[in-house]
Amino acid sequence: MPSTRMLFLCSIQSLNRACKQATKVVFLRSIRTYLEETNVQLGASYNIGQKATQKYNEGLKAAADFINADVSEIVIGPSTTQLFANLSQSFALCFPPSAEIIVSSIDHEANISSWVRLAKIRNLTLKWWTPSSSPSDLKLTAANLRPLLSDKTKLVTCTHTSNILGSIHDIRAIADEVHKVEGAMLCVDGVAFAPHREVNVEALGVDFYSFSWYKVYGPHIAALYASSSAQTHVSSLGHYFHTPATTLSTKLGLAASSYELVSTIPTLLSYFGSSASARKETWAAIAAHEETLQTILLDYLNSREDVTVYSERSADKALRVPVISFSVRGKSSSEIVEAVDGMSDFGIRWGHFYSKRLVDQLLVPGDEGVVRVSMRKK
């Protein structure tokens, strides 16, 4: 299906970057060093205990710095799915029966199922935020959210970038619209955005934001941010004697963060630069490089009358990241992927990628879903 020339030009990247990133040797050494030298319980007064606590705290601080948050505003957990589940459970007694929750229908299930379950348990009103019925226009905006908001809205959830569509949503504008309703909060899934662009939670104006470190060259753990003001609505899930619970980690962590993996985060972040200016240069270079890659692929796909590219067809780096999904008339998605498997070492995939509601309801109903190509600067 893709021409030999197009595949060659894209060959400098793996084409399944939305899956786990290749881990560098230095990262593996960091894990080994922690396990060999400081693998003890945190908080002890003896020397090794102090070193272990220091390494963990340095990891937590680096994680907060990565998204411009305070350490008290983040928690590390095994996955974004688990962290959103913990967050929803903490809300269980905080929302009145009359409350309304607005949930984006184009999200990964991680940022859907917990809120659907919460609405069912608490008998809350659940509103679905579907930006359009057209597969070519599936962008979440403040304008298409506005009709769903009411004075009963307590929570709005959405994705920063769909892991199927790749379109970048204007989260700041959405946050401003949500906050026009007194007491309403915004919860954002940033998993598909964080590997491609810098995340600044303060600038975004979000109440909650989560992403997975394994998308950003790291281990299979995740981070959840909750602003200090939003945390007043978060009930602690921790032990009764952890009072007052003054940090998000105390409230939602449940001792679920792997110490040795958290301790690697400073090493991982060194890739992006040692200063704020260096990191900005790195992110700018990543965006420019990815724009080149997605231009090659999108130019080819858009030139074919038998190909449907879902949502954003432009390669403009301000509009999308290089997560591109499509289908081919007369061909099954698995057929396309297997053809590429047979002619190359490129890793692309077919399926719904845990955005099953989006794929089934708005794109390609059925078992095979879409073909997805996802690229990332190494």
Side-chain angles (χ1 to χ4, degrees):
M1 217 288 289
S3 68
T4 303
R5 173 182 175 274
M6 186 276 289
L7 284 171
F8 174 75
L9 288 172
C10 289
S11 67
I12 52 177
Q13 303 296 319
S14 165
L15 301 185
N16 190 33
R17 284 291 172 197
C19 289
K20 190 172 293 185
Q21 302 286 357
T23 308
K24 296 183 177 180
V25 172
V26 66
F27 166 64
L28 295 173
R29 285 176 181 166
S30 179
I31 295 176
R32 179 175 177 175
T33 299
Y34 185 93
L35 291 175
E36 288 181 342
E37 299 179 5
T38 55
N39 191 26
V40 297
Q41 189 58 271
L42 303 184
S45 59
Y46 55 86
N47 185 47
I48 296 178
Q50 290 183 26
K51 287 182 179 179
T53 302
Q54 180 182 347
K55 284 181 175 291
Y56 180 84
N57 288 340
E58 288 172 352
L60 206 60
K61 177 66 164 59
D65 289 345
F66 184 68
I67 58 173
N68 191 32
D70 187 81
V71 172
S72 66
E73 297 175 315
I74 69 162
V75 58
I76 305 294
S79 67
T80 295
T81 301
Q82 182 65 64
L83 289 172
F84 280 149
N86 290 1
L87 180 62
S88 69
Q89 187 177 349
S90 79
F91 284 157
L93 300 178
C94 297
F95 290 168
S98 61
E100 296 178 352
I101 299 176
I102 300 173
V103 177
S104 157
S105 62
I106 71 168
D107 272 44
H108 186 289
E109 194 65 19
N111 201 23
I112 294 180
S113 60
S114 292
W115 311 119
V116 172
R117 185 165 54 249
L118 174 62
K120 183 177 181 180
I121 291 171
R122 292 286 294 157
N123 196 27
L124 308 178
T125 299
L126 179 67
K127 293 182 176 180
W128 289 102
W129 179 11
T130 302
S132 168
S133 59
S134 170
S136 62
D137 183 24
L138 291 172
K139 198 161 191 175
L140 301 171
T141 67
N144 55 42
L145 168 65
R146 194 172 299 124
L148 297 172
L149 294 168
S150 77
D151 59 3
K152 296 181 180 179
T153 301
K154 293 301 180 185
L155 183 71
V156 177
T157 72
C158 71
T159 181
H160 201 157
T161 297
S162 163
N163 73 322
I164 296 284
L165 307 173
S167 305
I168 299 173
H169 301 128
D170 187 346
I171 294 300
R172 181 72 218 201
I174 291 170
D176 289 344
E177 191 67 32
V178 170
H179 293 149
K180 289 178 182 178
V181 178
E182 185 177 358
M185 299 178 290
L186 177 64
C187 177
V188 178
D189 178 351
V191 172
F193 182 85
H196 305 282
R197 301 290 187 273
E198 184 175 19
V199 177
N200 184 332
V201 290
E202 184 175 341
L204 291 172
V206 295
D207 300 288
F208 307 98
Y209 194 100
S210 188
F211 70 96
S212 299
W213 284 105
Y214 79 96
K215 302 291 187 180
V216 194
Y217 300 106
H220 203 296
I221 54 176
L224 171 69
Y225 160 83
S227 69
S228 296
S229 58
Q231 284 189 52
T232 61
H233 302 279
V234 176
S235 300
S236 177
L237 304 182
H239 299 311
Y240 77 93
F241 49 82
H242 289 316
T243 54
T246 57
T247 70
L248 193 65
S249 290
T250 304
K251 290 182 175 182
L252 301 184
L254 300 177
S257 55
S258 167
Y259 302 159
E260 65 272 18
L261 298 185
V262 173
S263 72
T264 67
I265 295 175
T267 301
L268 298 173
L269 299 195
S270 64
Y271 169 82
F272 296 95
S274 58
S275 66
S277 60
R279 288 191 289 272
K280 286 190 178 298
E281 290 179 6
T282 299
W283 284 115
I286 287 173
H289 182 72
E290 291 181 349
E291 184 176 58
T292 300
L293 292 176
Q294 64 193 21
T295 296
I296 296 168
L297 178 59
L298 285 167
D299 281 354
Y300 175 76
L301 295 176
N302 288 331
S303 72
R304 295 187 59 125
E305 293 184 357
D306 59 342
V307 172
T308 299
V309 176
Y310 294 110
S311 200
E312 186 58 64
R313 297 171 67 89
S314 170
D316 187 339
K317 63 180 182 290
L319 300 177
R320 67 144 51 251
V321 300
V323 177
I324 299 163
S325 295
F326 62 94
S327 61
V328 181
R329 189 187 318 127
K331 301 284 186 180
S332 69
S333 293
S334 63
E335 188 177 356
I336 299 299
V337 171
E338 288 167 5
V340 173
D341 290 344
M343 64 181 287
S344 73
D345 291 327
F346 297 107
I348 68 176
R349 294 187 64 183
W350 57 270
H352 58 73
F353 307 98
Y354 291 85
S355 293
K356 188 165 176 57
R357 297 174 199 261
L358 164 61
V359 173
D360 285 353
Q361 297 171 16
L362 299 170
L363 302 183
V364 189
D367 295 334
E368 296 214 345
V370 299
V371 179
R372 187 183 72 175
V373 177
S374 50
M375 297 173 280
R376 175 72 167 94
K377 186 183 185 306
K378 249 183 176 179

